[in-house]
Amino acid sequence: MPKTREPLRLDVRKTYKLYVNGAFVRSESGRSDVVGAGTDDSANVARASRKDLRDAAVAARTAFARWATMSPISRGLVLYRLAEMMDARRAECVERLRLGMNLDEAGALRETTAAIDRTLWYAGWCDKYAAVLSARNPVAGPYYNYSTPEPTGIVGVVAPDEPSLLGLVSSLVPPLVSGNAVIAIASELDPRTAIVFAECLATSDLPAGTANILTGRRIEIAPHLARHMDVNAIAAYGLDAPFAAELERLAADNLKRSRMLPAGSLADWLSPEAQDLEHVAAFVEIKTIWHPAGI
């Protein structure tokens, strides 16, 4: 019998959308950027607009009320679930990093493993960080005086270009530990890895809107993030000094807490310096409580 020829078919290419309010959406502007042009791995990635940022801020504010009031152990279980989902998709993350960032197999595996381990590490701090950051303060008079941490609110994150996965995890997960909601602007070099990570977020039991990931050009979105009146803090990693200074100036207009780590300030994302309780403490407010004693 003559051999039958396989019918020709087109590849089903992945569509890389924004992750806002627990859903994958196209930019309201309809814009997109071509990533990996001229290669077999090219794709269109949504380019977020100012309106997309505002939608993310509304979603984050709504989610914050729920996430911040969850018990610390429940937040830890959700982040542990996130680590599980990342581990289940380890091979996909490795492949995405290998193609998107031109890493060899060992380098991509090392970064993916570090991102999973870091998520797990921070998950363990959810029900412990308050005990470390709290204090009973010595005061004169018949009073107890306690200081205890509370979440800041909505934290805007500008993730570094590279490492695209580990940098995003290291900047997005710490604010979640204390109950903040996050709006993150992903790497411009490899935004597709951020969306693969967002798919892990979507299946991790994290309340919709708690973590939002925007792809696009940070020169367009980051200034609006810094000046947004309902964003309580902003952290930017790996920016050049003039751009970081401009974001800090815009954040100061509404007394927004800012944390700028310019390019070169954190050279090794695999180092212990990149995994520290300080990254959690940076996004909490310390409330002091007085209570009568001896009554």
Side-chain angles (χ1 to χ4, degrees):
M1 294 180 62
K3 293 183 179 179
T4 57
R5 296 175 61 184
E6 290 291 331
L8 296 176
R9 60 184 300 275
L10 295 174
D11 292 337
V12 180
R13 293 290 186 94
K14 189 179 182 70
T15 302
Y16 293 90
K17 302 178 184 177
L18 312 175
Y19 182 63
V20 177
N21 199 23
F24 293 91
V25 298
R26 294 178 174 84
S27 171
E28 60 81 29
S29 67
R31 299 181 304 171
S32 62
D33 293 314
V34 177
V35 179
T39 70
D40 293 337
D41 190 45
S42 65
N44 291 323
V45 179
R47 188 200 299 182
S49 68
R50 183 177 181 179
K51 174 63 166 57
D52 297 315
L53 172 62
R54 291 201 301 266
D55 290 344
V58 171
R61 179 56 62 188
T62 302
F64 171 67
R66 180 181 176 190
W67 181 243
T69 54
M70 286 178 65
S71 67
I73 193 169
S74 295
R75 288 201 300 270
L77 290 172
V78 171
L79 293 184
Y80 184 89
R81 172 70 173 171
L82 173 59
E84 284 183 336
M85 293 298 98
M86 293 170 67
D87 195 51
R89 303 184 68 160
R90 180 191 296 264
E92 183 179 0
C93 291
V94 169
E95 182 69 4
R96 183 69 268 145
L97 284 173
R98 191 181 65 78
L99 294 173
M101 296 299 290
N102 295 319
L103 297 177
D104 58 26
E105 190 78 19
L109 179 59
R110 183 165 54 250
E111 181 177 337
T112 300
T113 301
I116 295 168
D117 291 349
R118 188 153 296 170
T119 302
L120 194 63
W121 190 84
Y122 279 117
W125 274 108
C126 287
D127 60 348
K128 302 174 184 67
Y129 81 95
V132 177
L133 300 181
S134 297
R136 178 181 173 185
N137 308 310
V139 294
Y143 305 100
Y144 293 118
N145 182 271
Y146 296 99
S147 295
T148 186
E150 292 186 349
T152 298
I154 298 177
V155 177
V157 168
V158 183
D161 271 337
E162 52 184 335
S164 58
L165 177 60
L166 183 58
L168 178 61
V169 167
S170 301
S171 54
L172 181 147
V173 174
L176 295 176
V177 170
S178 61
N180 296 294
V182 178
I183 303 169
I185 302 174
S187 164
E188 287 187 34
L189 290 180
D190 185 24
R192 291 171 290 182
T193 297
I195 301 306
V196 173
F197 174 68
E199 291 169 355
C200 298
L201 288 170
T203 53
S204 67
D205 303 328
L206 197 71
T210 305
N212 305 273
I213 297 180
L214 305 179
T215 55
R217 300 182 182 177
R218 59 168 60 99
I219 194 69
E220 292 182 6
I221 317 170
H224 298 305
L225 183 65
R227 65 166 62 98
H228 197 294
M229 296 299 291
D230 202 29
V231 176
N232 305 105
I234 183 170
Y237 302 84
L239 303 183
D240 59 74
F243 191 25
E246 175 64 10
L247 293 184
E248 199 162 24
R249 184 189 67 79
L250 293 172
D253 287 344
N254 61 355
L255 303 181
K256 187 188 275 69
R257 178 180 297 193
S258 59
R259 189 168 190 258
M260 303 293 161
L261 277 74
S265 60
L266 195 59
D268 185 5
W269 285 88
L270 291 167
S271 70
E273 184 184 351
Q275 176 178 290
D276 193 273
L277 184 60
E278 171 59 29
H279 300 302
V280 176
F283 304 107
V284 300
E285 303 285 351
I286 301 297
K287 176 179 283 187
T288 300
I289 304 168
W290 292 76
H291 192 278
I295 296 178

